[in-house]
Short mmCIF file of all heavy atoms in Angstrom, two decimals:
data_model
loop_
_atom_site.label_atom_id
_atom_site.label_comp_id
_atom_site.label_asym_id
_atom_site.label_seq_id
_atom_site.Cartn_x
_atom_site.Cartn_y
_atom_site.Cartn_z
N ALA A 1 -20.15 2.73 -6.72
CA ALA A 1 -18.91 2.47 -6.00
C ALA A 1 -17.96 3.69 -5.99
O ALA A 1 -16.79 3.54 -5.62
CB ALA A 1 -18.19 1.28 -6.66
N MET A 2 -18.47 4.86 -6.41
CA MET A 2 -17.59 6.04 -6.55
C MET A 2 -16.88 6.37 -5.22
O MET A 2 -15.64 6.48 -5.18
CB MET A 2 -18.41 7.22 -7.00
CG MET A 2 -17.55 8.51 -7.20
SD MET A 2 -18.55 10.01 -7.49
CE MET A 2 -19.12 10.35 -5.81
N GLU A 3 -17.66 6.55 -4.16
CA GLU A 3 -17.03 6.98 -2.88
C GLU A 3 -16.04 5.94 -2.40
O GLU A 3 -14.92 6.29 -1.99
CB GLU A 3 -18.12 7.25 -1.86
CG GLU A 3 -17.55 7.73 -0.52
CD GLU A 3 -18.63 8.18 0.47
OE1 GLU A 3 -19.81 8.29 0.03
OE2 GLU A 3 -18.33 8.42 1.63
N GLU A 4 -16.46 4.69 -2.37
CA GLU A 4 -15.56 3.65 -1.88
C GLU A 4 -14.25 3.56 -2.68
O GLU A 4 -13.18 3.46 -2.16
CB GLU A 4 -16.27 2.30 -1.89
CG GLU A 4 -15.42 1.16 -1.34
CD GLU A 4 -16.18 -0.17 -1.40
OE1 GLU A 4 -17.37 -0.20 -1.79
OE2 GLU A 4 -15.54 -1.21 -1.03
N THR A 5 -14.44 3.67 -4.05
CA THR A 5 -13.26 3.59 -4.92
C THR A 5 -12.32 4.77 -4.69
O THR A 5 -11.10 4.61 -4.60
CB THR A 5 -13.67 3.57 -6.38
OG1 THR A 5 -14.52 2.42 -6.60
CG2 THR A 5 -12.48 3.52 -7.31
N LEU A 6 -12.88 5.99 -4.57
CA LEU A 6 -12.08 7.17 -4.40
C LEU A 6 -11.38 7.18 -3.06
O LEU A 6 -10.25 7.58 -2.94
CB LEU A 6 -12.93 8.47 -4.55
CG LEU A 6 -13.41 8.75 -5.96
CD1 LEU A 6 -14.39 9.93 -5.97
CD2 LEU A 6 -12.19 9.11 -6.88
N ARG A 7 -12.08 6.69 -2.03
CA ARG A 7 -11.42 6.63 -0.70
C ARG A 7 -10.28 5.60 -0.71
O ARG A 7 -9.26 5.78 -0.07
CB ARG A 7 -12.50 6.27 0.37
CG ARG A 7 -13.46 7.38 0.65
CD ARG A 7 -14.29 7.12 1.89
NE ARG A 7 -15.29 8.15 2.10
CZ ARG A 7 -15.02 9.31 2.74
NH1 ARG A 7 -13.81 9.51 3.21
NH2 ARG A 7 -16.01 10.19 2.88
N GLY A 8 -10.47 4.54 -1.47
CA GLY A 8 -9.42 3.59 -1.57
C GLY A 8 -8.22 4.15 -2.35
O GLY A 8 -7.06 3.91 -1.94
N MET A 9 -8.47 4.93 -3.37
CA MET A 9 -7.39 5.60 -4.08
C MET A 9 -6.66 6.62 -3.22
O MET A 9 -5.46 6.75 -3.27
CB MET A 9 -7.94 6.25 -5.34
CG MET A 9 -8.52 5.29 -6.39
SD MET A 9 -9.36 6.14 -7.77
CE MET A 9 -7.99 6.83 -8.62
N GLY A 10 -7.48 7.32 -2.39
CA GLY A 10 -6.86 8.29 -1.47
C GLY A 10 -5.98 7.61 -0.45
O GLY A 10 -4.90 8.09 -0.15
N ARG A 11 -6.44 6.45 0.05
CA ARG A 11 -5.63 5.68 1.01
C ARG A 11 -4.34 5.20 0.35
O ARG A 11 -3.26 5.31 0.97
CB ARG A 11 -6.41 4.51 1.54
CG ARG A 11 -5.59 3.59 2.44
CD ARG A 11 -6.43 2.46 3.05
NE ARG A 11 -5.56 1.50 3.68
CZ ARG A 11 -5.00 1.63 4.84
NH1 ARG A 11 -5.22 2.75 5.56
NH2 ARG A 11 -4.27 0.69 5.41
N ARG A 12 -4.39 4.74 -0.84
CA ARG A 12 -3.20 4.26 -1.54
C ARG A 12 -2.19 5.47 -1.69
O ARG A 12 -0.98 5.31 -1.55
CB ARG A 12 -3.51 3.66 -2.90
CG ARG A 12 -2.23 3.19 -3.60
CD ARG A 12 -2.51 2.31 -4.79
NE ARG A 12 -1.30 1.97 -5.52
CZ ARG A 12 -0.43 1.02 -5.17
NH1 ARG A 12 -0.62 0.32 -4.10
NH2 ARG A 12 0.66 0.81 -5.88
N GLY A 13 -2.73 6.63 -2.02
CA GLY A 13 -1.91 7.82 -2.18
C GLY A 13 -1.22 8.14 -0.88
O GLY A 13 0.00 8.47 -0.82
N ASP A 14 -1.96 8.05 0.24
CA ASP A 14 -1.39 8.29 1.55
C ASP A 14 -0.32 7.28 1.89
O ASP A 14 0.73 7.60 2.45
CB ASP A 14 -2.46 8.28 2.65
CG ASP A 14 -3.40 9.46 2.50
OD1 ASP A 14 -3.05 10.48 1.86
OD2 ASP A 14 -4.55 9.40 3.03
N ILE A 15 -0.59 6.03 1.53
CA ILE A 15 0.39 4.91 1.78
C ILE A 15 1.67 5.17 1.00
O ILE A 15 2.75 4.98 1.50
CB ILE A 15 -0.26 3.54 1.47
CG1 ILE A 15 -1.29 3.17 2.55
CG2 ILE A 15 0.82 2.50 1.38
CD1 ILE A 15 -2.03 1.94 2.22
N ILE A 16 1.51 5.56 -0.24
CA ILE A 16 2.69 5.81 -1.08
C ILE A 16 3.54 6.91 -0.49
O ILE A 16 4.81 6.81 -0.38
CB ILE A 16 2.27 6.17 -2.52
CG1 ILE A 16 1.72 4.93 -3.23
CG2 ILE A 16 3.46 6.73 -3.31
CD1 ILE A 16 1.11 5.21 -4.61
N ARG A 17 2.93 7.99 -0.03
CA ARG A 17 3.67 9.09 0.57
C ARG A 17 4.37 8.68 1.86
O ARG A 17 5.54 9.02 2.11
CB ARG A 17 2.77 10.30 0.82
CG ARG A 17 2.44 11.10 -0.43
CD ARG A 17 1.70 12.37 -0.09
NE ARG A 17 0.33 12.07 0.37
CZ ARG A 17 -0.73 11.95 -0.42
NH1 ARG A 17 -0.56 12.07 -1.76
NH2 ARG A 17 -1.91 11.69 0.04
N SER A 18 3.66 7.88 2.68
CA SER A 18 4.22 7.41 3.92
C SER A 18 5.40 6.46 3.68
O SER A 18 6.44 6.54 4.31
CB SER A 18 3.14 6.67 4.72
OG SER A 18 2.12 7.55 5.11
N MET A 19 5.23 5.55 2.69
CA MET A 19 6.33 4.60 2.38
C MET A 19 7.48 5.34 1.77
O MET A 19 8.64 4.93 2.05
CB MET A 19 5.75 3.55 1.45
CG MET A 19 4.74 2.58 2.07
SD MET A 19 5.49 1.36 3.19
CE MET A 19 6.18 0.22 1.97
N GLU A 20 7.26 6.30 0.92
CA GLU A 20 8.37 7.08 0.33
C GLU A 20 9.18 7.71 1.47
O GLU A 20 10.44 7.76 1.41
CB GLU A 20 7.86 8.10 -0.65
CG GLU A 20 7.46 7.54 -1.97
CD GLU A 20 6.90 8.59 -2.88
OE1 GLU A 20 6.45 9.67 -2.37
OE2 GLU A 20 6.85 8.39 -4.10
N HIS A 21 8.47 8.28 2.45
CA HIS A 21 9.18 8.92 3.54
C HIS A 21 9.96 7.92 4.40
O HIS A 21 11.03 8.23 4.91
CB HIS A 21 8.10 9.65 4.45
CG HIS A 21 8.74 10.40 5.60
ND1 HIS A 21 9.41 11.56 5.43
CD2 HIS A 21 8.76 10.16 6.96
CE1 HIS A 21 9.84 12.03 6.63
NE2 HIS A 21 9.46 11.17 7.55
N ALA A 22 9.42 6.70 4.52
CA ALA A 22 10.05 5.68 5.38
C ALA A 22 11.20 4.95 4.71
O ALA A 22 12.21 4.68 5.34
CB ALA A 22 9.01 4.66 5.82
N VAL A 23 11.11 4.65 3.41
CA VAL A 23 12.11 3.82 2.78
C VAL A 23 12.83 4.53 1.63
O VAL A 23 13.81 3.95 1.10
CB VAL A 23 11.50 2.50 2.27
CG1 VAL A 23 10.77 1.80 3.41
CG2 VAL A 23 10.52 2.73 1.12
N GLY A 24 12.35 5.69 1.19
CA GLY A 24 13.11 6.45 0.16
C GLY A 24 13.16 5.74 -1.17
O GLY A 24 12.16 5.22 -1.67
N ASP A 25 14.37 5.67 -1.74
CA ASP A 25 14.58 5.10 -3.04
C ASP A 25 14.30 3.60 -3.12
O ASP A 25 14.23 3.03 -4.23
CB ASP A 25 16.00 5.37 -3.52
CG ASP A 25 16.25 6.88 -3.72
OD1 ASP A 25 15.30 7.62 -3.86
OD2 ASP A 25 17.44 7.28 -3.67
N ARG A 26 14.20 2.91 -1.97
CA ARG A 26 13.98 1.47 -2.02
C ARG A 26 12.53 1.12 -2.32
O ARG A 26 12.22 -0.04 -2.53
CB ARG A 26 14.36 0.87 -0.62
CG ARG A 26 15.85 0.90 -0.33
CD ARG A 26 16.12 0.43 1.04
NE ARG A 26 15.62 1.35 2.08
CZ ARG A 26 15.63 1.12 3.41
NH1 ARG A 26 16.10 -0.04 3.83
NH2 ARG A 26 15.17 2.03 4.24
N LEU A 27 11.63 2.09 -2.36
CA LEU A 27 10.25 1.82 -2.64
C LEU A 27 10.01 1.40 -4.06
O LEU A 27 10.54 2.03 -5.03
CB LEU A 27 9.39 3.08 -2.36
CG LEU A 27 7.89 2.96 -2.64
CD1 LEU A 27 7.31 1.91 -1.72
CD2 LEU A 27 7.21 4.28 -2.46
N SER A 28 9.25 0.32 -4.27
CA SER A 28 8.90 -0.19 -5.57
C SER A 28 7.39 -0.11 -5.67
O SER A 28 6.67 -0.89 -5.06
CB SER A 28 9.40 -1.61 -5.74
OG SER A 28 8.86 -2.15 -6.93
N LEU A 29 6.89 0.88 -6.44
CA LEU A 29 5.44 1.05 -6.57
C LEU A 29 4.76 -0.20 -7.21
O LEU A 29 3.64 -0.54 -6.84
CB LEU A 29 5.13 2.34 -7.42
CG LEU A 29 5.49 3.66 -6.74
CD1 LEU A 29 5.14 4.75 -7.72
CD2 LEU A 29 4.74 3.85 -5.46
N HIS A 30 5.47 -0.83 -8.08
CA HIS A 30 4.90 -2.00 -8.76
C HIS A 30 4.61 -3.13 -7.78
O HIS A 30 3.71 -3.92 -7.98
CB HIS A 30 5.87 -2.48 -9.89
CG HIS A 30 5.38 -3.67 -10.62
ND1 HIS A 30 4.29 -3.64 -11.44
CD2 HIS A 30 5.82 -5.00 -10.66
CE1 HIS A 30 4.06 -4.83 -11.96
NE2 HIS A 30 4.98 -5.68 -11.47
N HIS A 31 5.43 -3.26 -6.72
CA HIS A 31 5.34 -4.36 -5.75
C HIS A 31 4.72 -3.85 -4.46
O HIS A 31 4.69 -4.62 -3.47
CB HIS A 31 6.66 -4.98 -5.50
CG HIS A 31 7.25 -5.66 -6.68
ND1 HIS A 31 8.23 -5.06 -7.47
CD2 HIS A 31 7.02 -6.87 -7.25
CE1 HIS A 31 8.57 -5.88 -8.47
NE2 HIS A 31 7.85 -6.97 -8.35
N LEU A 32 4.21 -2.64 -4.37
CA LEU A 32 3.68 -2.12 -3.14
C LEU A 32 2.30 -2.69 -2.86
O LEU A 32 1.44 -2.74 -3.74
CB LEU A 32 3.58 -0.56 -3.19
CG LEU A 32 2.98 0.12 -1.96
CD1 LEU A 32 3.85 -0.18 -0.72
CD2 LEU A 32 2.91 1.61 -2.21
N ARG A 33 2.10 -3.20 -1.64
CA ARG A 33 0.85 -3.78 -1.24
C ARG A 33 0.47 -3.26 0.16
O ARG A 33 1.28 -2.92 0.94
CB ARG A 33 0.89 -5.30 -1.13
CG ARG A 33 1.34 -6.01 -2.45
CD ARG A 33 0.25 -5.93 -3.52
NE ARG A 33 0.58 -6.70 -4.68
CZ ARG A 33 1.27 -6.23 -5.73
NH1 ARG A 33 1.71 -4.97 -5.69
NH2 ARG A 33 1.56 -6.93 -6.78
N ASP A 34 -0.88 -3.26 0.42
CA ASP A 34 -1.41 -2.87 1.73
C ASP A 34 -1.93 -4.07 2.45
O ASP A 34 -2.79 -4.78 1.94
CB ASP A 34 -2.54 -1.83 1.49
CG ASP A 34 -3.14 -1.37 2.82
OD1 ASP A 34 -2.56 -1.59 3.89
OD2 ASP A 34 -4.23 -0.72 2.74
N PHE A 35 -1.39 -4.34 3.63
CA PHE A 35 -1.81 -5.58 4.36
C PHE A 35 -3.25 -5.51 4.83
O PHE A 35 -3.86 -6.52 5.15
CB PHE A 35 -0.88 -5.79 5.60
CG PHE A 35 -0.97 -7.19 6.11
CD1 PHE A 35 -0.42 -8.25 5.45
CD2 PHE A 35 -1.62 -7.44 7.33
CE1 PHE A 35 -0.50 -9.53 5.94
CE2 PHE A 35 -1.72 -8.72 7.83
CZ PHE A 35 -1.15 -9.79 7.16
N ALA A 36 -3.83 -4.30 4.83
CA ALA A 36 -5.26 -4.16 5.18
C ALA A 36 -6.14 -4.40 4.02
O ALA A 36 -7.39 -4.40 4.14
CB ALA A 36 -5.52 -2.75 5.78
N GLY A 37 -5.60 -4.63 2.79
CA GLY A 37 -6.36 -4.84 1.61
C GLY A 37 -6.96 -6.21 1.54
O GLY A 37 -6.57 -7.13 2.30
N GLU A 38 -7.86 -6.38 0.61
CA GLU A 38 -8.59 -7.66 0.51
C GLU A 38 -7.75 -8.79 0.01
O GLU A 38 -7.98 -9.97 0.29
CB GLU A 38 -9.83 -7.48 -0.43
CG GLU A 38 -10.87 -6.52 0.13
CD GLU A 38 -12.05 -6.42 -0.82
OE1 GLU A 38 -12.02 -7.04 -1.90
OE2 GLU A 38 -13.01 -5.71 -0.48
N THR A 39 -6.67 -8.47 -0.71
CA THR A 39 -5.86 -9.52 -1.35
C THR A 39 -4.64 -9.90 -0.46
O THR A 39 -3.85 -10.74 -0.89
CB THR A 39 -5.31 -9.05 -2.68
OG1 THR A 39 -4.52 -7.84 -2.50
CG2 THR A 39 -6.43 -8.75 -3.69
N ALA A 40 -4.58 -9.39 0.76
CA ALA A 40 -3.43 -9.67 1.60
C ALA A 40 -3.55 -11.08 2.14
O ALA A 40 -4.65 -11.64 2.36
CB ALA A 40 -3.41 -8.69 2.79
N PRO A 41 -2.43 -11.78 2.29
CA PRO A 41 -2.46 -13.14 2.81
C PRO A 41 -2.81 -13.17 4.29
O PRO A 41 -2.76 -12.15 4.98
CB PRO A 41 -1.00 -13.66 2.56
CG PRO A 41 -0.19 -12.38 2.64
CD PRO A 41 -1.04 -11.28 2.04
N LEU A 42 -3.20 -14.34 4.78
CA LEU A 42 -3.52 -14.46 6.22
C LEU A 42 -2.24 -14.35 7.08
O LEU A 42 -2.31 -13.91 8.22
CB LEU A 42 -4.23 -15.78 6.50
CG LEU A 42 -5.60 -15.99 5.83
CD1 LEU A 42 -6.14 -17.39 6.11
CD2 LEU A 42 -6.54 -14.93 6.33
N ARG A 43 -1.11 -14.77 6.48
CA ARG A 43 0.17 -14.75 7.20
C ARG A 43 1.25 -14.32 6.28
O ARG A 43 1.27 -14.71 5.10
CB ARG A 43 0.44 -16.18 7.74
CG ARG A 43 1.81 -16.38 8.43
CD ARG A 43 1.90 -17.79 8.96
NE ARG A 43 3.24 -18.09 9.45
CZ ARG A 43 4.19 -18.67 8.74
NH1 ARG A 43 3.96 -18.96 7.44
NH2 ARG A 43 5.39 -18.94 9.29
N LEU A 44 2.18 -13.51 6.79
CA LEU A 44 3.24 -12.99 5.97
C LEU A 44 4.50 -12.83 6.77
O LEU A 44 4.49 -12.48 7.97
CB LEU A 44 2.85 -11.58 5.47
CG LEU A 44 3.95 -10.76 4.73
CD1 LEU A 44 4.27 -11.35 3.35
CD2 LEU A 44 3.54 -9.29 4.61
N ILE A 45 5.64 -13.25 6.17
CA ILE A 45 6.94 -13.06 6.80
C ILE A 45 7.72 -12.01 6.03
O ILE A 45 7.71 -12.03 4.77
CB ILE A 45 7.74 -14.40 6.85
CG1 ILE A 45 7.08 -15.35 7.80
CG2 ILE A 45 9.20 -14.14 7.26
CD1 ILE A 45 7.72 -16.71 7.84
N GLY A 46 8.27 -11.04 6.71
CA GLY A 46 8.97 -9.97 6.03
C GLY A 46 10.06 -9.36 6.88
O GLY A 46 10.12 -9.54 8.10
N ARG A 47 10.95 -8.59 6.18
CA ARG A 47 12.05 -7.93 6.87
C ARG A 47 11.68 -6.42 6.97
O ARG A 47 11.24 -5.81 5.99
CB ARG A 47 13.31 -8.09 6.08
CG ARG A 47 14.50 -7.30 6.59
CD ARG A 47 15.81 -7.66 5.94
NE ARG A 47 15.71 -7.54 4.46
CZ ARG A 47 16.58 -8.11 3.60
NH1 ARG A 47 17.58 -8.82 4.07
NH2 ARG A 47 16.43 -7.91 2.33
#
């Protein structure tokens, strides 16, 4: 699972950088989720 795991880690790093650029200090790494991930709900309401 090395390649798949590392690519997933790379994607999360890219997401963190993108989110930091978009929301700045409001970003919470502890609560950060990717909607394309396996654990995402089928439906989500957000602001």
Side-chain angles (χ1 to χ4, degrees):
M2 181 189 76
E3 182 172 349
E4 182 181 357
T5 302
L6 289 173
R7 289 189 183 278
M9 295 172 72
R11 174 175 170 79
R12 179 168 175 79
D14 292 340
I15 287 174
I16 289 173
R17 283 187 290 272
S18 298
M19 290 285 283
E20 284 178 338
H21 183 73
V23 305
D25 296 338
R26 292 175 291 175
L27 178 63
S28 171
L29 292 179
H30 179 68
H31 295 99
L32 179 60
R33 302 289 186 273
D34 179 14
F35 196 72
E38 295 181 357
T39 59
L42 296 177
R43 174 177 173 268
L44 170 73
I45 292 177
R47 175 171 55 196

